[in-house]
């Protein structure tokens, strides 16, 4: 018997009847309250980003990248006093590694790429 969809419960529908002693929900955040991304990192529900962003060098990384972050002028939705914070070059590099998009990216170019990314966002926002 499939589990009932009424009243919440575990979002995984495995076609099995609930056991007398459930083992818990196999989906992180399914019932416990903490929300996780696809990389099993806890994320903030306000922006869907990791609660504790990875600022550590990647395993194959040879150059030190800045961990400094820049505050955007772009307001967060539904707020009048909060703005976004851009990722640091280290966070940007780690995201490329994590997503398998590093390709032929040179570590020494990442700071320029991040600066261009931030500038494009700011200029685009001014057009909105």
């Amino acid at each position: 018997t499939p589990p009932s969809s009424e009243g919440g419960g575990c979002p995984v529908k495995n076609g099995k009847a609930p056991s007398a002693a459930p083992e818990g929900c196999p989906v992180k955040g399914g019932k416990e309250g903490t929300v996780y991304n696809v990389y099993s990192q806890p994320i903030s529900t306000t922006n869907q980003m990791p609660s504790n962003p990875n600022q550590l060098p990647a395993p194959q990384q040879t150059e030190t990248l800045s961990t400094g972050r820049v505050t955007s002028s772009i307001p967060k939705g539904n707020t009048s006093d909060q703005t976004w914070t851009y990722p640091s070059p280290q966070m940007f590099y780690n995201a490329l590694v994590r997503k398998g998009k590093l390709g032929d990216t040179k570590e020494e170019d990442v700071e320029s790429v991040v600066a261009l990314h931030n500038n494009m966002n700011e200029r685009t926002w001014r057009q909105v």
Side-chain angles (χ1 to χ4, degrees):
T1 313
S4 169
S5 61
E6 295 178 24
C10 181
V12 174
K13 310 297 183 208
N14 60 14
K16 298 178 185 175
S19 63
E23 296 177 26
C25 181
V27 176
K28 289 184 177 182
K31 195 69 173 162
E32 294 79 31
T34 302
V35 179
Y36 293 82
N37 64 16
V38 296
Y39 306 105
S40 297
Q41 299 168 319
I43 59 173
S44 168
T45 56
T46 62
N47 62 7
Q48 304 302 311
M49 296 300 294
S51 301
N52 188 15
N54 181 8
Q55 294 273 30
L56 300 174
Q60 77 285 4
Q61 187 176 330
T62 58
E63 292 190 25
T64 300
L65 296 173
S66 170
T67 58
R69 299 181 72 185
V70 174
T71 301
S72 170
S73 68
I74 302 170
K76 288 185 177 182
N78 299 325
T79 68
S80 60
D81 61 342
Q82 293 181 333
T83 60
W84 293 102
T85 303
Y86 289 116
S88 70
Q90 184 63 64
M91 291 166 65
F92 196 95
Y93 185 83
N94 288 344
L96 292 174
V97 171
R98 183 179 68 245
K99 295 174 182 181
K101 305 271 185 187
L102 193 57
D104 62 354
T105 304
K106 296 181 179 123
E107 294 169 17
E108 62 264 18
D109 295 336
V110 174
E111 299 221 16
S112 295
V113 170
V114 171
L116 287 167
H117 167 271
N118 298 354
N119 184 282
M120 183 59 69
N121 282 346
E122 294 295 318
R123 292 179 66 176
T124 301
W125 180 252
R126 284 194 295 270
Q127 297 296 317
V128 176

